[in-house]
């Protein structure tokens, strides 16, 4: 996640880098044996039918979901390993009958539970229970306003219920966020939805790029072209700066494409000069880029572990069958830790490689069937990254994939 508002605060001389880093300590923490953040898809079923769902959510519960007993034991193991933030996601996590119990158990174990939901089942009673269980943040996914959101997500009234869910969460004392996954179909919804979220006291607007995972794989043709993503990002940077000058509390962030970082540096340099850009670049170098498998891991509904929630093509282990230490020792984690030496094509020679780290590997896998190939959604031009290049050598890249994935 790239904290656009925080980084612009640094560029504008309004905040010290340490203050911005302190807001997301897990993102700046030194790499350790266990990742500080785990995304856990507590179930696979959902009431909505989003076409980009990376979990390929189903309408009925899976018989393979972890039981309450297994789930509580998993939380204890994660806490003992040093995990600090547990993102409870799905499917729709609020459909799990024991979700409040699990959130409370995570809090008691010393983890910080947060919830990622469609917002549809988030009524006042659920919001109060989650808050009492120690959940401090609820992120609600929307794809735009009604009627687009409702048609896209397959449920009449979904937008209004999500909007009410955000209000219930705020009333219960939790911070809130709106998350939108952008494609060709809803890029026009972004700017008005930012204003809408700000007017309703939402704390964070999260623009997520499309990941080609789950049903999202079939949506790859609807992804924005890199130059379209770039234009949208630059409008978002302008919006973030406008909101800062207006004194708005909402923070704008992006995720799902680590080339957003170099893009922000280039935009700041053009608008605010070299010194402002260098201040931001120093922070991004300290933060590093994509950290799938290092600062983040994902556990799916049946206990299989992946480098992140979108990276389901690669499995590091299974919490039902293996101790966590064995899963954490998977050779793919070691390969990801030195990914900068393995990246190929334009990512391999990129001048921004150390602060982007090749962005998302699952998109390279989906497009090129090669783990270390370039991320096809990179928003930087060849001249900006320092070298015009030929297409990746997929034959040798695939050999690298086989070695790394094992
Ligand atoms: S070329 Fe690769 S490493 Fe460089 S900015 Fe683009 S995605 Fe990131």
């Amino acid at each position: 996640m790239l904290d656009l508002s925080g980084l612009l605060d640094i560029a504008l001389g309004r905040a010290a880098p340490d203050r911005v880093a302190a807001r997301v300590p897990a993102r700046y923490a030194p790499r350790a044996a266990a990742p500080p953040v785990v995304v856990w898809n507590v179930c696979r079923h959902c009431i909505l039918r989003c076409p980009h769902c990376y979990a390929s959510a189903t309408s009925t519960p899976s018989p393979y979901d972890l039981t309450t007993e297994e789930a509580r034991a998993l939380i204890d193991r994660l806490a003992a390993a040093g995990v600090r933030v547990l993102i409870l996601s799905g499917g729709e996590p609020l459909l799990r009958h024991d979700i409040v119990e699990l959130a409370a158990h995570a809090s008691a174990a010393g983890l910080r539970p947060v919830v990622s939901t469609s917002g549809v089942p988030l009524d006042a009673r659920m919001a109060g229970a989650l808050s009492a269980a120690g959940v401090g943040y609820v992120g609600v996914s929307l794809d735009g306003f009604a009627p687009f959101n409702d048609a896209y997500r397959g449920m009449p009234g979904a937008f209004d219920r999500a909007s009410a869910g955000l209000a219930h969460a705020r009333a219960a004392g939790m911070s809130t966020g709106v998350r939108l996954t952008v494609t060709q179909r809803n890029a026009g919804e972004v700017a008005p939805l930012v204003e809408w979220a700000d007017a309703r006291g939402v704390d964070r607007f999260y623009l997520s790029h499309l990941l080609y995972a789950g049903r999202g794989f079939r949506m790859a043709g609807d992804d924005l072209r890199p130059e379209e993503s770039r234009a949208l990002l630059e409008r978002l940077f302008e919006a973030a700066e406008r909101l800062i000058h207006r004194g708005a509390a909402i923070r704008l962030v992006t995720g799902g494409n680590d080339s957003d970082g170099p893009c922000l540096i280039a935009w700041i340099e053009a608008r605010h000069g070299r010194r402002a850009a260098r201040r931001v670049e120093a922070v991004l170098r300290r933060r590093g880029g994509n950290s799938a498998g290092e600062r983040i891991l994902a556990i799916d509904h049946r206990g299989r572990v992946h480098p992140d929630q979108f990276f389901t093509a690669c499995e590091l282990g299974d919490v039902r069958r293996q101790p966590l230490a064995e899963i954490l020792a998977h050779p793919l984690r070691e390969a990801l830790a030195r990914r900068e030496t393995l990246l190929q094509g334009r990512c391999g020679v990129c001048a921004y490689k150390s602060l982007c780290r090749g962005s998302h590997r699952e998109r390279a896998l989906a497009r090129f069937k090669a783990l270390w190939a370039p991320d096809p959604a990179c928003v930087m031009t060849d001249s900006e990254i320092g070298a015009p290049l030929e297409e990746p050598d997929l034959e040798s890249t695939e050999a690298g994939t086989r070695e790394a994935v094992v």
Side-chain angles (χ1 to χ4, degrees):
M1 188 184 76
L2 192 74
D3 177 4
L4 299 183
S5 303
L7 293 165
L8 283 168
D9 274 340
I10 293 170
L12 298 169
R14 298 167 66 110
D18 284 347
R19 210 181 98 200
V20 173
R23 281 207 293 266
V24 273
R27 199 63 185 78
Y28 292 85
R31 288 181 171 78
V37 178
V38 166
V39 178
W40 176 24
N41 301 100
V42 295
C43 64
R44 193 180 181 193
H45 60 301
C46 184
I47 27 196
L48 303 181
R49 297 287 166 273
C50 306
H52 52 63
C53 178
Y54 70 83
S56 297
T58 52
S59 56
T60 52
S62 164
Y64 303 108
D65 289 351
L66 299 187
T67 64
T68 302
E69 220 168 275
E70 288 174 322
R72 288 172 67 97
L74 172 61
I75 289 168
D76 292 338
R77 288 160 72 191
L78 295 176
V83 173
R84 283 180 260 164
V85 179
L86 185 61
I87 301 174
L88 303 167
S89 187
E92 171 52 70
L94 303 187
L95 294 185
R96 241 193 105 118
H97 73 279
D98 55 1
I99 189 66
V100 174
E101 176 187 344
L102 298 181
H105 190 71
S107 299
L111 297 170
R112 190 160 71 80
V114 305
V115 168
S116 176
T117 169
S118 68
V120 172
L122 187 56
D123 58 17
R125 195 169 147 194
M126 174 60 82
L130 290 173
S131 181
V135 173
Y137 176 83
V138 175
V140 168
S141 298
L142 285 170
D143 288 309
F145 294 98
F148 174 83
N149 178 78
D150 300 354
Y152 196 60
R153 303 198 135 220
M155 184 182 189
F159 179 86
D160 288 343
R161 288 180 63 177
S163 172
L166 283 164
H168 293 315
R170 284 195 305 282
M174 295 182 283
S175 299
T176 56
V178 165
R179 179 187 178 117
L180 178 144
T181 300
V182 68
T183 68
Q184 298 273 359
R185 301 194 207 177
N186 64 351
E189 307 272 318
V190 173
L193 203 62
V194 169
E195 291 295 331
W196 177 89
D198 178 45
R200 273 150 191 81
V202 171
D203 301 285
R204 177 191 290 173
F205 182 90
Y206 186 135
L207 178 94
S208 176
H209 296 264
L210 180 70
L211 276 303
Y212 311 158
R215 285 200 285 273
F217 183 81
R218 296 203 298 268
M219 292 279 293
D222 283 355
D223 197 4
L224 297 177
R225 293 193 299 274
E227 62 273 20
E228 293 170 328
S229 285
R230 176 78 176 245
L232 176 68
L233 279 173
E234 291 180 349
R235 290 197 296 276
L236 200 66
F237 300 161
E238 282 166 19
E241 193 171 311
R242 257 197 324 274
L243 287 162
I244 288 171
H245 289 310
R246 208 160 83 190
I250 194 169
R251 317 295 298 175
L252 304 196
V253 306
T254 67
N257 190 334
D258 297 86
S259 67
D260 290 358
C263 176
L264 178 64
I265 292 169
W267 185 84
I268 290 172
E269 179 155 355
R271 193 169 169 113
H272 297 294
R274 195 171 175 77
R275 287 181 65 184
R278 293 295 81 87
R279 282 200 296 275
V280 171
E281 182 172 348
V283 176
L284 288 179
R285 286 199 185 283
R286 193 172 133 203
R287 168 186 177 273
N290 189 280
S291 60
E294 297 174 87
R295 288 189 176 122
I296 188 168
L297 279 182
I299 302 173
D300 69 22
H301 70 108
R302 53 194 294 171
R304 296 170 302 198
V305 181
H306 308 279
D308 70 26
Q309 68 272 40
F310 309 108
F311 210 152
T312 48
C314 294
E315 193 176 318
L316 302 174
D318 186 332
V319 298
R320 274 190 165 123
R321 292 188 288 105
Q322 294 169 274
L324 217 45
E326 186 180 316
I327 295 170
L328 294 175
H330 191 286
L332 179 57
R333 282 195 83 218
E334 186 275 322
L336 286 167
R338 58 183 176 86
R339 70 186 83 186
E340 283 148 83
T341 64
L342 298 168
L343 290 168
Q344 300 194 341
R346 67 200 300 279
C347 286
V349 298
C350 174
Y352 293 102
K353 184 165 57 167
S354 64
L355 59 81
C356 171
R357 304 185 80 225
S359 193
H360 280 257
R361 300 294 83 220
E362 67 280 4
R363 226 168 6 223
L365 265 175
R367 175 66 59 85
F368 298 114
K369 301 195 176 3
L371 185 60
W372 306 115
D375 184 336
C378 175
V379 299
M380 299 296 281
T381 65
D382 284 349
S383 65
E384 285 174 319
I385 65 164
L389 280 169
E390 295 166 6
E391 289 297 301
D393 176 355
L394 295 184
E395 202 173 311
S396 62
T397 312
E398 281 179 28
T401 306
R402 280 192 295 276
E403 273 167 35
V405 175
V406 180

